Amino acid sequence: MENNERGSISPISIPTTFSYSPSSSPSSPLSQFSPSFPSPDSQSSSPPSPPRAAAASPQLVLGPCAACKILRRRCVDKCVLAPYFPPTEPSKFIIAHRVFGASNIIKSLQELPESQRADAVSSMVYEASSRIRDPVYGSAGAIFQLQKQVSDLQAQLAKAQAEVVTMQCQQANVLTLILEMSQSKETIDTTCFLDDTCVVSPWEPLRT
């Protein structure tokens, strides 16, 4: 009986084939929210990003320079005349432009290094103002007058020094004379008191 029942029960077939592929496996819901951390190699190889620069503040623009304003042209950012002819001093460019001209001033400044341009502008303004005051000699006349003043002052100084030396010599001579007179007076007084022949008796008759 038992053998018949065992023979009638058919065995259950379990499939042994099981396939797994990583691409076909469904992603877990936690993997969608897991944070991604960079590897240490990537951190060491990639340099740190520089900090963002702050927004540049707007520069205060005073307007065109005196040269461009007088010439009635647009003053660009890299204007050669702007650093030396500010809008607050228009007379400097008017004087220099009247004698030399704008093109000559610009050409002269472009040929010089930036360290010498300020001195060149000052020289041109002085030369132009001197030429306006003295159209014939210009700055040469002013230089000649200054040299004459220097020579006159040197002559006066030499004369004063000679007078000082003369007065010092006279003072030394007077002091020497006073000292000699005082010494001679002391010598005469001592010889008279020590020598008996200097004493004259009042009862001695005078010899004729």
Side-chain angles (χ1 to χ4, degrees):
M1 202 74 196
E2 292 178 358
N3 295 330
N4 293 333
E5 289 178 357
R6 291 179 180 177
S8 61
I9 296 172
S10 61
I12 299 171
S13 62
I14 299 173
T16 58
T17 59
F18 182 76
S19 62
Y20 173 78
S21 62
S23 60
S24 61
S25 62
S27 61
S28 62
L30 295 176
S31 63
Q32 298 178 359
F33 301 97
S34 61
S36 59
F37 297 97
S39 62
D41 297 336
S42 61
Q43 290 182 356
S44 60
S45 61
S46 61
S49 59
R52 294 183 179 180
S57 58
Q59 297 180 356
L60 181 62
V61 180
L62 297 177
C65 64
C68 295
K69 189 174 182 180
I70 293 171
L71 296 175
R72 296 181 180 180
R73 67 179 188 181
R74 183 181 178 183
C75 188
V76 297
D77 295 337
K78 297 182 180 180
C79 180
V80 181
L81 304 174
Y84 314 104
F85 298 101
T88 56
E89 298 178 359
S91 59
K92 290 177 61 178
F93 183 75
I94 292 173
I95 294 172
H97 175 58
R98 182 176 176 182
V99 176
F100 297 102
S103 59
N104 292 329
I105 295 173
I106 295 172
K107 184 178 179 180
S108 300
L109 292 179
Q110 289 177 349
E111 293 176 353
L112 293 174
E114 293 184 2
S115 59
Q116 300 178 1
R117 291 180 180 179
D119 295 336
V121 170
S122 300
S123 300
M124 284 189 287
V125 172
Y126 180 77
E127 173 68 25
S129 59
S130 300
R131 183 66 61 179
I132 291 172
R133 288 194 304 267
D134 190 356
V136 178
Y137 297 103
S139 61
I143 293 171
F144 176 75
Q145 292 179 359
L146 293 175
Q147 289 178 349
K148 185 179 179 181
Q149 292 179 5
V150 170
S151 61
D152 293 341
L153 293 174
Q154 287 178 350
Q156 294 178 7
L157 180 61
K159 185 178 179 181
Q161 289 176 349
E163 292 178 356
V164 169
V165 172
T166 303
M167 293 177 66
Q168 289 177 353
C169 293
Q170 291 178 358
Q171 185 179 4
N173 294 331
V174 170
L175 292 175
T176 305
L177 182 62
I178 292 172
L179 184 60
E180 290 177 354
M181 290 176 64
S182 62
Q183 289 178 355
S184 62
K185 185 177 180 181
E186 290 177 357
T187 304
I188 293 171
D189 293 340
T190 55
T191 55
C192 288
F193 281 109
L194 295 176
D195 193 0
D196 294 337
T197 59
C198 293
V199 179
V200 180
S201 177
W203 301 106
E204 185 179 357
L206 297 176
R207 295 179 182 178
T208 60

